[in-house]
Amino acid sequence: MTPRSISILGATGSVGSSTLDLIRRDREHWRVVALTANGNAAELAKLAREFQPEVAVLADEAKLPELRDALAGTAIETAGGTQALLEAAGRGAALTIAAIVGCAGLAPTMAAIEQGGTVALANKEALVSAGDVMTAAVTKHGATLLPVDSEHNAIFQCLAGNDLCDVRKITLTASGGPFREWSAGQLETATPQQAVRHPNWDMGAKISVDSATMMNKGLELIEAHHLFPVGLDKLTIIVHPQSVVHSMVEFADGSTLAQLGQSDMRVPIASTLAWPGRMETVCDSLDLAKIGELTFEQPDERRFPATRLARQAAEAGGAMPAVLNAANEVAVAAFLDSQIGFTRIVAHVENVLSRYSPAKPASLDDVLMVDAEARDCAHMLMETA
Ligand code: NDP
């Protein structure tokens, strides 16, 4: 069998590592085209030596000499900077794993989409920001977008063989994050160390904080709105602390389909690697008798207002989701840097959103401009607060 070509954007991250773990166990089926990272030259070089990509790219050009030294004597090309990242993403791999964190992943993801191959999307911020611009590019270039996010992957699996017209309701499940049971007063004292300690999932710092504020579920609501266009009124969120049911679809006849599995990102990633088939993984079987209890509760938008803000941004449409995302990225970085408190994150996003009503972006450049302006606004408001 001819190996299938694959590029992994964000190879050194949590999703990147989980993907490479699956490739490692199924090595002969894959030919790695590009591996990319931001500045972690040592880890990228280690992965490149193991997986022998055509090219290894760092977005942070200043770290390129370190990568070059580490890969000296190999046949692997090295490159640095945003243009090199776009070139690597556009090398036409049959499958691209889009796993860069934040809107920084948008342009490379679009470059991969423009090649018309299959893009497995973990980088939710890219779709939240670009929305219709990205889905139009998928259609225009004949690309296939597969959702990696466990909830959207679950919905995608539940919808297989069904018609969107028959969907009565889509329910995104949310773990509730590490502060699910904290009072409003306690939330004021939450530290970055506590916020990144997710009870069920082992993830990068940014998405872990998003899970703690529930902005992750807000971003996912907007992501689902674009991936499964059934209308916002049919998208709901329910808190499910065990993270076993990854999401559900209810159909017109009253049937509800759900996808269940361990809290292991290799499960949804494997489903995109093998799609439309299945592959063997070493992921644990689900032992429901051992888990014993699956519980569900309504989200508390008084303590966790992020989902309300995200829904409002999605309803307003246009550039508002891009503004929401940019403001959130700035606020999360400031929280991780101990510049602002936990509850200020979402309050700051709301403040930025209240000052904006930009026009609908029509192109990638428009989206990137809105993103840059919203970041400037978020930084300025933070300085003057
Ligand atoms: P990580 O922080 O673990 O990894 C991020 C990756 O992106 C790293 O390879 C990093 O490189 C690279 N990167 C960071 N900034 C830039 C930049 N400016 N330009 C180019 N590359 C960059 O993130 P996760 O793996 O946790 O998340 C990745 C994406 O997947 C996010 O959008 C997240 O929301 C989504 N996701 C993650 C899940 C998870 O379980 N982790 C689950 C579902 C979705 P370097 O190492 O050099 O910094």
Side-chain angles (χ1 to χ4, degrees):
M1 204 173 95
T2 319
R4 191 169 177 217
S5 58
I6 186 167
S7 287
I8 299 163
L9 312 178
T12 51
S14 164
V15 171
S17 307
S18 296
T19 307
L20 286 167
D21 184 65
L22 292 165
I23 305 274
R24 181 179 288 120
R25 296 165 196 275
D26 192 24
R27 196 64 197 87
E28 69 279 15
H29 288 123
W30 298 98
R31 179 174 65 79
V32 181
V33 176
L35 295 181
T36 82
N38 187 25
N40 193 345
E43 181 61 18
L44 184 63
K46 188 165 145 245
L47 294 172
R49 281 191 177 272
E50 178 181 358
F51 291 95
Q52 296 290 313
E54 283 172 21
V55 63
V57 180
L58 286 172
D60 181 354
E61 209 165 354
K63 301 281 171 56
L64 181 57
E66 194 183 330
L67 181 68
R68 286 219 163 111
D69 285 351
L71 291 178
T74 70
I76 302 163
E77 283 173 57
T78 52
T82 42
Q83 199 49 45
L85 189 58
L86 294 183
E87 191 276 328
R91 282 198 180 201
L95 175 62
T96 300
I97 308 293
I100 292 173
V101 61
C103 196
L106 172 57
T109 301
M110 290 290 278
I113 288 170
E114 283 163 15
Q115 299 302 304
T118 300
V119 175
L121 185 79
N123 181 204
K124 66 191 85 184
E125 298 92 341
L127 181 56
V128 167
S129 301
D132 296 342
V133 169
M134 182 180 285
T135 51
V138 169
T139 308
K140 179 177 171 195
H141 298 284
T144 302
L145 201 57
L146 299 177
V148 168
D149 225 339
S150 59
E151 295 77 1
H152 305 75
N153 187 269
I155 296 162
F156 183 75
Q157 293 195 45
C158 294
L159 285 172
N162 287 290
D163 198 321
L164 278 187
C165 303
D166 292 328
V167 172
R168 188 187 278 175
K169 185 170 78 174
I170 293 179
T171 304
L172 293 156
T173 53
S175 69
F179 305 143
R180 183 176 59 90
E181 294 180 309
W182 287 33
S183 68
Q186 284 174 305
L187 289 177
E188 300 283 346
T189 69
T191 65
Q193 291 74 22
Q194 291 167 324
V196 296
R197 227 177 289 133
H198 195 278
N200 305 341
W201 299 93
D202 182 12
M203 309 183 287
K206 194 262 177 183
I207 184 176
S208 298
V209 175
D210 284 346
S211 295
T213 60
M214 296 277 291
M215 184 58 86
N216 184 46
K217 214 47 55 181
L219 297 175
E220 287 179 7
L221 183 85
I222 302 173
E223 186 185 8
H225 176 52
H226 291 293
L227 289 171
F228 315 112
V230 293
L232 275 167
D233 55 326
K234 291 184 178 172
L235 297 178
T236 62
I237 296 170
I238 197 162
V239 174
H240 166 48
Q242 296 82 15
S243 299
V244 169
V245 177
H246 295 304
S247 278
M248 301 172 251
V249 179
E250 184 182 330
F251 293 93
D253 59 3
S255 263
T256 296
L257 298 190
Q259 186 264 350
L260 283 68
Q262 296 282 356
S263 314
D264 182 338
M265 278 307 291
R266 291 177 302 178
V267 177
I269 294 169
S271 121
T272 64
L273 291 182
W275 184 85
R278 298 276 177 185
M279 65 186 276
E280 280 283 342
T281 71
V282 292
C283 300
D284 290 341
S285 287
L286 193 60
D287 186 343
L288 285 175
K290 195 166 160 199
I291 294 165
E293 194 179 42
L294 301 179
T295 59
F296 301 89
E297 58 197 65
Q298 284 303 326
D300 178 354
E301 291 193 336
R302 200 180 39 83
R303 281 180 306 139
F304 299 104
T307 48
R308 172 180 55 77
L309 285 187
R311 188 177 284 277
Q312 286 168 353
E315 279 164 358
M320 293 310 263
V323 174
L324 171 103
N325 178 69
N328 183 57
E329 286 194 35
V330 170
V332 170
F335 169 69
L336 284 170
D337 204 23
S338 302
Q339 290 171 34
I340 63 170
F342 180 76
T343 53
R344 282 277 314 283
I345 300 173
V346 176
H348 191 65
V349 174
E350 184 156 27
N351 192 10
V352 175
L353 278 170
S354 71
R355 286 155 202 264
Y356 257 92
S357 55
K360 188 177 166 68
S363 66
L364 174 61
D365 284 347
D366 288 355
V367 178
L368 294 174
M369 198 186 299
V370 169
D371 176 73
E373 282 174 9
R375 275 166 207 272
D376 286 348
C377 175
H379 282 297
M380 195 191 66
L381 289 175
M382 200 168 283
E383 276 158 26
T384 54

